[in-house]
Amino acid sequence: MAVATIGPTLVGDAADLHGRRSVYIVILSIYIASCVAIAAANSYPALVALRVVQALAISGTFSIAYGVVTDIASPAERGSFTSVVSFAITIAPTLGPIVGGSLAFAAGWAWIFWFLSLASGLCLLLMIFLLPETARNIVGDGSISPPKFLRLPVPFSSFSHWKENYDSEEGEILGDHEWRFPNPFKSVSILLRKDNLVIIIACGLLYVVYTCVNTSLSVLCVDIYNLTQWQAGLIYIPFGVGGILSTFLSGPLLNSAYRKARKKQGYLVDRAVDDDLDNFDIEKTRIGVIWLPLIFTSFAVLAFGWVLHYRKHLAIALTLQFVAGLCMQLDFSIYNTLLVDKNHRCPATAQASSNIVRCALAAVVVAFLQRMFEALGIGWTFTLMSGLCLACVGLFLIDYHKGMTWRQSKIGPIQVQTFREFSPPPAESGCKDSK
């Protein structure tokens, strides 16, 4: 987890600057090679070193995924897309113990990494042949042809809408894409904006709770309910089912709230155009739907801790896990949509900056989690976690009232056409303040 803090900072700005496709292919190739090497490793030092490389490679893919979503989805429908990506990322720690435990039990631990090699290899092939370049500073709304090395090896007409080397809106022939070495500190600069920092800290605290619940779940249940290792893997299922259900709820919830807010302010909403987010109070629109799931998250975590503390029936604990999974995933989906909306010129870099905070906080707290259980007890430890969720409510409340003011003090209110076709940001910087 500590290594995963670094990975996205190395690829976030690269993906925003030079395209999603090339960065995806490079880091997935490194990940596959590291998985194969780990499966064949026969010494502990080699295993640890390769795990570091593996974590560095795979952690960067998450931030790029949000960049692709921002490229292809207008704000009117972005909630649905972001919910799916957010679910895929946060559900992995839930499914991992089930799949990994089954493979280790049936064929040995090495097959966990052979399986990862095969699965990621399939993803790489799909990206090579089916994922076109989407970065707006390279292909605009899709009508601008990318450099040849960013094109699909087998062209598909459904993925190629460009007029060869021609920008239809500006009427200019595009030259070669300007090369600049990616700046890993660009992610840190995102944190200098107060409106970003407040919600990123809130997400970091929520991710601490999420990580602590998932890290301790099997260990506590094995000890309290005398479960086998196989049964311990299965107890993650209710949390995962709740997360799956939230995916179907969060998209319509976010999209409906966005449409209502636009209409309330006298704007029309069209999925085919990119609404002006710089002058729109996106903070109130997105955060307005987070209060209920975030409060329910706090109560579910609190109740779960005391159910385990007093060793109540396992069914109660699993039901609370379902509620926590449902509400936490809603929280993450709403947050991730808000973050890319605030930073729609550099979504991958913004997600990388979020990753710095959440992984750093989670790594520190998880390192002391067992000591917290010993010093405070299970019930009071989860009471503390519940308090962190309430702290998130306070942080989101600050951004709800101050976010737009802080954001515009940095980027400035931009006088642009209310409805405009998707267009690329300035080529020299995908994340530059508009002042």
Side-chain angles (χ1 to χ4, degrees):
M1 186 176 295
V3 175
T5 305
I6 304 172
T9 66
L10 303 176
V11 302
D13 187 48
D16 283 332
L17 185 64
H18 300 301
R20 324 295 185 197
R21 180 176 164 80
S22 58
V23 180
Y24 253 142
I25 291 173
V26 170
I27 61 179
L28 266 180
S29 299
I30 296 173
Y31 177 76
I32 294 169
S34 63
C35 286
V36 171
I38 290 172
N42 54 14
S43 69
Y44 183 74
L47 182 65
V48 173
L50 289 168
R51 283 284 287 149
V52 169
V53 175
Q54 182 196 39
L56 279 172
I58 199 62
S59 60
T61 60
F62 307 144
S63 58
I64 305 175
Y66 287 106
V68 174
V69 165
T70 308
D71 295 335
I72 66 175
S74 70
E77 59 183 355
R78 192 169 291 159
S80 297
F81 286 79
T82 306
S83 297
V84 174
V85 175
S86 181
F87 163 74
I89 293 172
T90 55
I91 203 64
T94 300
L95 297 180
I98 300 174
V99 177
S102 302
L103 289 171
F105 178 79
W109 68 267
W111 267 99
I112 296 175
F113 297 97
W114 288 121
F115 171 79
L116 292 175
S117 302
L118 295 172
S120 54
L122 176 61
C123 290
L124 179 60
L125 288 175
L126 291 174
M127 288 182 177
I128 290 174
F129 290 100
L130 297 178
L131 179 68
E133 181 55 59
T134 63
R136 294 288 163 182
N137 64 313
I138 295 177
V139 299
D141 62 356
S143 63
I144 304 171
S145 62
K148 290 184 178 180
F149 71 91
L150 291 178
R151 300 180 190 178
L152 299 176
V154 180
F156 293 94
S157 58
S158 58
F159 295 151
S160 304
H161 304 289
W162 59 74
K163 297 178 181 179
E164 192 70 20
N165 289 330
Y166 185 75
D167 184 336
S168 58
E169 180 178 350
E170 299 296 332
E172 296 177 355
I173 302 298
L174 293 182
D176 294 334
H177 181 62
E178 181 182 353
W179 174 263
R180 176 174 67 78
F181 193 79
N183 179 9
F185 296 104
K186 182 74 72 174
S187 300
V188 179
S189 68
I190 295 288
L191 298 174
L192 299 180
R193 265 177 47 185
K194 290 185 288 186
D195 63 304
N196 282 332
L197 182 61
V198 167
I199 64 168
I200 287 175
I201 291 176
C203 174
L205 296 178
L206 187 61
Y207 191 74
V208 165
V209 178
Y210 166 82
T211 306
C212 288
V213 169
N214 276 277
T215 301
S216 62
L217 182 58
S218 61
V219 176
L220 291 176
C221 288
V222 166
D223 180 57
I224 295 172
Y225 300 107
N226 297 316
L227 303 180
T228 64
Q229 290 298 320
W230 170 248
Q231 291 171 328
L234 295 178
I235 63 173
Y236 286 91
I237 292 178
F239 193 95
V241 172
I244 292 172
L245 179 60
S246 76
T247 305
F248 295 98
L249 298 176
S250 56
L253 179 67
L254 285 162
N255 294 342
S256 175
Y258 182 83
R259 288 193 296 269
K260 289 179 181 178
R262 295 287 297 185
K263 291 177 180 178
K264 185 177 180 180
Q265 297 186 28
Y267 298 110
L268 296 177
V269 180
D270 190 336
R271 294 182 181 181
V273 298
D274 185 13
D275 300 329
D276 173 25
L277 294 180
D278 294 315
N279 292 331
F280 180 63
D281 197 347
I282 194 65
E283 286 80 4
K284 284 186 171 64
T285 302
R286 300 303 192 194
I287 296 176
V289 297
I290 204 173
W291 308 123
L292 195 60
L294 194 50
I295 290 172
F296 269 93
T297 300
S298 178
F299 286 142
V301 171
L302 176 66
F304 176 74
W306 288 105
V307 164
L308 294 185
H309 183 87
Y310 287 112
R311 298 174 179 262
K312 297 300 181 181
H313 197 279
L314 179 60
I316 303 175
L318 296 182
T319 301
L320 291 169
Q321 275 290 298
F322 169 80
V323 175
L326 171 64
C327 295
M328 276 191 187
Q329 186 55 51
L330 283 170
D331 299 335
F332 284 125
S333 296
I334 295 167
Y335 159 78
N336 286 316
T337 305
L338 173 62
L339 184 63
V340 297
D341 282 341
K342 281 173 169 286
N343 303 276
H344 55 94
R345 293 178 180 83
C346 52
T349 308
Q351 284 293 335
S353 68
S354 177
N355 201 76
I356 294 173
V357 174
R358 67 185 181 92
C359 285
L361 289 175
V364 171
V365 175
V366 168
F368 293 95
L369 183 60
Q370 184 57 40
R371 295 184 183 181
M372 292 170 63
F373 284 137
E374 294 171 356
L376 302 176
I378 297 173
W380 285 111
T381 298
F382 280 99
T383 300
L384 177 61
M385 298 298 164
S386 176
L388 293 181
C389 295
L390 294 179
C392 294
V393 173
L395 291 170
F396 279 119
L397 188 62
I398 293 173
D399 193 64
Y400 182 84
H401 291 289
K402 297 288 188 180
M404 183 178 181
T405 302
W406 286 342
R407 173 163 54 90
Q408 289 197 335
S409 70
K410 285 293 184 180
I411 66 172
I414 303 173
Q415 300 301 320
V416 296
Q417 192 175 359
T418 302
F419 305 110
R420 65 187 189 279
E421 295 294 332
F422 277 132
S423 58
E428 69 272 10
S429 175
C431 194
K432 195 173 183 179
D433 290 343
S434 300
K435 269 188 176 179

